[in-house]
């Protein structure tokens, strides 16, 4: 069993999904475009109107659908109001990081004002500063009280991967506000404090050359989850190297994440090089599509390389492999083709599952194609238009539902933060590069990338 896909594997234990059958500042001009997309005939919508519409709907998950005390993201929202595992007010740390970035999209697209966003960010940062932390890392889930909601019996302490997703979002927000008025500068300072309090080096378990995913005050290192690549957690290693207060050594990246160079042992799948070895412990050629999204909401993969690989090629090929899989459709699943593709970890008829080409249940997860917009713009736009013109029954208040299957005539009116969040963010990176530009400007991030040997036109080289 592949240890690195913890999100997908652990959620299986916690989600018992019912099997229900059924089918600053371009703000002013952009707002006009967004408003014009309110009620056009769906068959006449332009690409711009479609992009505005889905960005608005997925943004609303994190704005209107936020947990009201903290202003952060709910783990899930079920429009059928059925919650088999827990109530709807559980706060997700990683999904909240995605949501913080989605709110920046909301400012720039004219959905909300900068002042409204500032107020929400202040509430969120204050909540996070008082919430449970474990050597600076937050747990996977929090209650609205700020206390830990255990993800599993022993997963009741620090979750370094989820915390990295949160920090990625926080640092992006910091860059947006750091040169603003006094109130905005104070927000940036408070974010910097949270960032500096994360003890990344603690999670090397006493100095090993690898980062561990979890630590619990009750169970210590019992989860025993060293994170080796490749998977969704690249951003964790980069931030750990970038920390101005608790950094890791480069050898932790080289020996732990890169597995002494074994990460570079790629393969060819659907005629495309995978660029890196996606799995350390099994033979699956590629992982679920979210691996090309979570770490790259802020980290710009364009031209990004290190001694192990080319990260733009990695992500483009990952998306194209999934697209070609749908075209070839080896399982003859209904609907698969150029307009219907994309597999990632999501809900399914069998609960939460890690969908990918060699483990395909016939379930399409819209975030897979939509969040790949920077990598496969034509293919992703074709999927977007298909959803809104021919499958609009699969779309609800917050955009396309988490997953569906035409083959099995299955869909649930449910959403997950970790799937909705990448959609508005990655679409914005496709449209304007906003989040990439902000995150990559951060001086600490730049130092971390340099330290680990990354190069690109967006990585400054010290003279």
């Amino acid at each position: 069993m592949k240890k690195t896909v913890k999100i997908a594997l652990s959620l299986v234990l916690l989600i018992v999904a019912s099997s229900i059958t059924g089918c600053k500042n371009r703000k002013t001009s952009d707002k006009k475009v967004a408003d014009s997309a309110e009620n056009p005939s769906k068959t006449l919508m332009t690409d711009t109107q479609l992009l505005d519409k889905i960005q608005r709907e997925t943004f609303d998950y994190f704005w209107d659908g936020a947990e009201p005390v903290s202003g952060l993201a709910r783990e899930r929202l079920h429009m059928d109001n059925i919650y088999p595992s827990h109530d709807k007010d559980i706060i997700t740390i990683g999904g909240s990081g995605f949501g913080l970035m989605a709110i920046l999209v909301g400012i720039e697209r004219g959905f909300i004002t900068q002042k409204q966003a500032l107020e929400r960010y202040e509430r969120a940062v204050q909540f996070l500063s008082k919430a449970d932390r474990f050597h600076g890392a937050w747990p996977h889930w929090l209650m609205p009280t700020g206390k830990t909601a255990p993800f599993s019996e022993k997963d009741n302490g620090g979750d370094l991967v989820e915390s990295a997703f949160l920090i990625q979002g926080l640092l992006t927000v910091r860059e947006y506000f750091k040169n603003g008025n006094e109130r905005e500068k104070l927000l940036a300072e408070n974010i910097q404090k949270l960032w500096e309090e994360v003890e990344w080096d603690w999670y090397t378990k006493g100095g090993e050359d690898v980062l561990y995913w979890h630590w619990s005050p009750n169970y210590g290192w019992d989860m025993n989850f060293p994170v080796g690549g490749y998977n969704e957690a690249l951003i964790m290693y980069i931030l750990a190297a970038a920390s101005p207060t608790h950094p890791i050594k480069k050898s932790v990246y080289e020996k732990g994440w890169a597995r002494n160079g074994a990460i570079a042992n790629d393969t060819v799948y659907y005629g495309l090089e995978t660029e890196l070895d996606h799995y350390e412990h099994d033979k699956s050629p590629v992982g679920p599509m979210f691996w090309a999204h979570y770490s790259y909401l802020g980290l710009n993969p364009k031209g990004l390389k290190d001694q192990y690989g080319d990260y733009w090629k990695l992500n483009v090929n990952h998306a194209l492999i999934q697209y070609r899989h749908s075209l070839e459709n080896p399982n003859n699943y209904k609907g698969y083709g150029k307009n219907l593709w994309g597999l990632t970890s999501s809900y399914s008829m069998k609960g939460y599952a890690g969908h990918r080409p060699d483990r395909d249940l016939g379930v399409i997860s819209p975030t897979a194609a939509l969040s790949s917009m920077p990598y496969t713009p034509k293919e992703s736009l074709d999927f977007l238009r298909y959803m809104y013109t021919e499958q609009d029954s699969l779309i609800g208040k917050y955009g396309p539902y988490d997953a569906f299957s035409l083959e099995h005539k299955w869909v649930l009116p449910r959403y997950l933060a970790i799937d909705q969040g990448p959609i508005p963010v990655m679409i914005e990176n496709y449209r304007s590069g906003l989040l990439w530009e902000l995150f990559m400007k951060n001086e600490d991030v730049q130092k971390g990338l340099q330290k680990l040997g990354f190069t690109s036109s967006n990585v400054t080289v010290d003279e």
Side-chain angles (χ1 to χ4, degrees), residues 55 77 97 136 159 199 207-208 222 232 326 336 412:
Q55 282 189 292
L77 280 172
D159 185 312
E199 298 176 29
E208 295 182 20
D222 281 4
E232 74 273 29
S326 192
Y336 276 34
L412 292 174

Side-chain angles (χ1 to χ4, degrees), residues 207-448:
E208 295 182 20
D209 278 323
V210 68
L211 285 170
Y212 282 79
W213 199 307
H214 317 92
W215 179 81
S216 163
N218 308 107
Y219 301 100
W221 304 103
D222 281 4
M223 293 285 289
N224 192 32
F225 207 132
V227 184
Y230 179 70
N231 52 67
E232 74 273 29
L234 175 62
I235 194 68
M236 176 181 68
Y237 275 89
I238 289 172
L239 290 172
S243 171
T245 51
H246 299 279
I248 59 168
K249 300 176 294 183
K250 185 180 182 182
S251 61
V252 178
Y253 177 73
E254 294 175 329
K255 296 179 182 178
W257 172 257
R259 297 152 40 209
N260 290 307
I263 196 173
N265 296 330
D266 67 343
T267 188
V268 174
Y269 194 37
Y270 283 101
L272 295 165
E273 295 176 347
T274 63
E275 187 63 7
L276 295 178
D277 175 24
H278 282 224
Y279 281 96
E280 183 177 358
H281 297 298
D282 72 32
K283 296 181 180 179
S284 291
V286 294
M289 203 63 232
F290 76 88
W291 288 8
H293 304 149
Y294 290 3
S295 282
Y296 304 98
L297 300 186
L299 179 67
N300 187 348
K302 285 189 175 180
L304 188 69
K305 299 177 182 179
D306 69 359
Q307 60 184 303
Y308 307 111
D310 177 329
Y311 292 84
W312 185 249
K313 178 182 176 183
L314 167 75
N315 292 338
V316 169
N317 283 3
H318 192 170
L320 287 173
I321 283 169
Q322 292 225 359
Y323 179 73
R324 291 184 182 184
H325 171 75
S326 192
L327 291 180
E328 186 168 310
N329 193 11
N331 302 305
N332 294 314
Y333 287 138
K334 181 178 179 180
Y336 276 34
K338 70 182 185 68
N339 294 326
L340 189 64
W341 62 280
L343 310 174
T344 194
S345 298
S346 69
Y347 284 138
S348 77
M349 304 79 63
K350 300 181 179 181
Y352 194 84
H355 312 289
R356 53 187 191 261
D358 65 325
R359 298 188 182 182
D360 184 359
L361 301 177
V363 173
I364 294 294
S365 311
T367 188
L370 295 172
S371 300
S372 297
M373 194 75 68
Y375 312 134
T376 50
K378 182 185 183 303
E379 295 84 354
S380 295
L381 279 165
D382 286 346
F383 177 90
L384 174 62
R385 182 167 294 280
Y386 173 77
M387 288 298 297
Y388 277 83
T389 58
E390 299 186 46
Q391 297 294 343
D392 59 345
S393 66
L394 303 176
I395 297 170
K397 182 177 182 180
Y398 301 122
Y401 295 130
D402 187 63
F404 63 90
S405 174
L406 300 184
E407 172 72 18
H408 301 288
K409 299 180 181 179
W410 172 88
V411 67
L412 292 174
R414 299 180 179 181
Y415 298 99
L416 286 171
I418 55 174
D419 289 341
Q420 296 309 103
I423 296 172
V425 174
M426 290 301 272
I427 287 177
E428 191 59 39
N429 281 330
Y430 161 69
R431 299 181 81 177
S432 72
L434 173 69
L435 295 311
W436 285 343
E437 179 183 352
L438 289 168
F439 181 77
M440 296 296 285
K441 285 196 306 185
N442 183 271
E443 292 181 2
D444 291 333
V445 170
Q446 284 286 322
K447 291 175 183 176

Side-chain angles (χ1 to χ4, degrees), residues 117-137:
L118 177 62
E119 291 170 351
R120 177 67 63 87
Y121 287 136
E122 289 172 333
R123 190 190 337 164
V125 167
Q126 182 180 33
F127 178 86
L128 290 167
S129 70
K130 297 178 179 179
D132 283 352
R133 298 175 78 180
F134 305 89
H135 292 276

